[in-house]
Amino acid sequence: MAIYHLAVKTISRGKGQSAVASSAYRSGEKLYDKRYDQVKDFTNKQGIVYSEIQLPSEAPLDYLDRETLWNAVEHAEKPSNARLAREIEVALPRELSLDQHKRLLHNYIQENFVSKGMCADWSIHDKNDGNPHAHIMLTVRSIKKNGSWAPKRKSSYRLDGNGNKIPIIDPKTGKQKIGARNAKQWERESISYNNWNDRENVELWRKNWAKSCNKLLGKDKKIDHRSYERQGRIQFPTKHEGYYARKLESKKAGASKIVSYNKKVREHNRYLQFLLLEWQKAQEMITKLKQQIQKQKKPKKRAIFKEKDRGISL
């Protein structure tokens, strides 16, 4: 049965990560990291069945080469704790073929990320262990029309509730300050160059992934991005089982805590469903009994006889 999993992560230099190394690992390629003067070689990594790069119209075509793309990202980010990329990890429906996985991901990525200006570098991992999934690396800095990287933040006029610019008032005169060449001065603020970090985006990406998958899945295999609580379902959620957890289980090296936990949760859910079915049956019986009692309480119509009907003559 198809499962829903979408996790949003950050690849950051502050966490000791490299965009080039991250891309090499996920794509199973050999890439040269210019910043650290190191070769990241993951060509021996197993289970990588497909990789692709998708670019917005503003991006240089050179970025179709992942080594060029992520070295350019590393060069653009100067701080020692800079955010380098955003990663979206999704579980792929086991009911679909590899070609369907490719089309599903390509269309979803184009619609939700590339069309907004992000460069996307993604790979499908499948070790035939029942856990096909994809890693989507996304750039976090916009690209200008000339192909250069835009700043992460920009200065903009601060606006009041009516959308008007707010003047800078000189406390000495009580009037608006005047700058060079008699230019009026207005309050300014630093804002994000794009809205990719808005919290609402994560909910939208999660919802759209479910919609994209459901277009290809049967009616009885639909997935839902909402929690069981939001769906109004009485059920305990399982935890996502990564490759390492399944590897421990398959090798019987001692079941991982996550796999063991999920087994118990599934057992509890089966028992919970049994109780719910029994409760539903009990409710139906109670409803029928109430209906029968209501019928018995209804007064019987009394027969009214006329004297002549009794055969009495006056």
Side-chain angles (χ1 to χ4, degrees):
M1 181 178 177
I3 61 170
Y4 184 90
H5 172 72
L6 186 150
V8 181
K9 306 175 183 179
T10 299
I11 296 174
S12 168
R13 193 176 289 153
K15 294 188 289 187
Q17 297 171 307
S18 157
V20 177
S22 297
S23 176
Y25 179 79
R26 286 154 182 77
S27 63
E29 291 191 5
K30 181 179 179 180
L31 304 180
Y32 173 63
D33 193 327
K34 292 181 180 179
R35 180 180 178 85
Y36 299 100
D37 190 23
Q38 294 177 348
V39 174
K40 307 296 183 180
D41 187 355
F42 293 98
T43 51
N44 290 327
K45 184 173 172 57
Q46 302 296 313
I48 302 171
V49 295
Y50 184 75
S51 293
E52 183 178 334
I53 289 179
Q54 292 172 238
L55 301 177
S57 58
E58 302 84 2
L61 291 180
D62 290 348
Y63 288 174
L64 286 172
D65 174 71
R66 54 179 44 90
E67 182 176 280
T68 302
L69 169 62
W70 295 112
N71 272 303
V73 167
E74 287 281 359
H75 180 73
E77 304 298 343
K78 306 303 180 184
S80 59
N81 63 344
R83 279 189 311 118
L84 304 170
R86 179 178 289 108
E87 181 184 22
I88 310 291
E89 181 186 271
V90 294
L92 295 169
R94 289 174 288 181
E95 294 82 356
L96 303 180
S97 66
L98 176 58
D99 286 339
Q100 288 176 311
H101 285 162
K102 292 178 184 178
R103 291 196 300 272
L104 169 64
L105 283 162
H106 180 94
N107 294 338
Y108 171 74
I109 291 168
Q110 185 66 36
E111 179 182 348
N112 289 275
F113 307 119
V114 178
S115 65
K116 311 302 180 186
M118 305 178 211
C119 301
D121 177 8
W122 55 277
S123 298
I124 297 175
H125 293 190
D126 189 359
K127 292 180 176 290
N128 295 317
D129 59 354
N131 184 35
H133 59 280
H135 296 271
I136 309 166
M137 283 183 62
L138 303 166
T139 50
V140 294
R141 189 183 286 263
S142 298
I143 298 178
K144 297 180 180 179
K145 291 183 178 181
N146 63 5
S148 64
W149 295 105
K152 286 185 175 178
R153 302 190 68 81
K154 61 182 178 180
S155 178
S156 177
Y157 289 113
R158 189 186 298 275
L159 305 178
D160 61 19
N162 296 320
N164 299 318
K165 294 187 292 185
I166 302 174
I168 297 177
I169 304 300
D170 188 335
K172 294 181 179 179
T173 63
K175 297 181 179 180
Q176 185 174 7
K177 280 188 176 182
I178 303 296
R181 299 179 182 179
N182 291 324
K184 294 181 179 179
Q185 295 188 356
W186 308 90
E187 291 188 16
R188 302 185 72 89
E189 61 182 343
S190 176
I191 62 174
S192 296
Y193 193 90
N194 55 54
N195 68 344
W196 302 345
N197 293 325
D198 291 358
R199 288 188 175 184
E200 293 78 7
N201 285 329
V202 175
E203 177 69 10
L204 180 63
W205 298 336
R206 290 176 56 81
K207 180 180 179 180
N208 287 346
W209 176 245
K211 287 174 63 176
S212 298
C213 292
N214 288 338
K215 289 178 182 178
L216 301 175
L217 294 170
K219 290 183 179 180
D220 59 333
K221 300 182 184 297
K222 301 292 185 183
I223 58 176
D224 198 311
H225 71 289
R226 298 171 300 170
S227 66
Y228 290 140
E229 183 178 358
R230 289 172 60 190
Q231 294 178 51
R233 294 173 59 183
I234 303 176
Q235 189 170 339
F236 299 111
T238 56
K239 295 181 180 180
H240 178 65
E241 296 176 6
Y243 162 70
Y244 183 69
R246 289 177 177 268
K247 183 178 179 181
L248 285 177
E249 181 71 7
S250 63
K251 288 189 174 182
K252 296 182 179 179
S256 74
K257 291 182 179 179
I258 293 178
V259 173
S260 299
Y261 172 83
N262 285 344
K263 282 185 176 180
K264 291 180 180 179
V265 168
R266 292 187 184 101
E267 290 175 4
H268 291 326
N269 282 335
R270 282 193 291 270
Y271 184 62
L272 183 59
Q273 291 303 312
F274 169 76
L275 292 177
L276 290 172
L277 287 173
E278 292 300 311
W279 173 241
Q280 186 177 358
K281 291 177 183 178
Q283 285 183 314
E284 291 173 355
M285 290 179 64
I286 291 170
T287 301
K288 289 180 180 178
L289 287 171
K290 285 182 177 179
Q291 291 173 348
Q292 292 176 3
I293 292 171
Q294 290 298 326
K295 287 181 180 180
Q296 293 176 359
K297 284 184 177 181
K298 287 183 179 180
K300 293 181 179 179
K301 291 183 178 179
R302 293 182 179 179
I304 301 175
F305 299 99
K306 294 181 179 180
E307 293 298 327
K308 63 179 180 180
D309 293 331
R310 296 182 179 180
I312 301 174
S313 60
L314 299 176

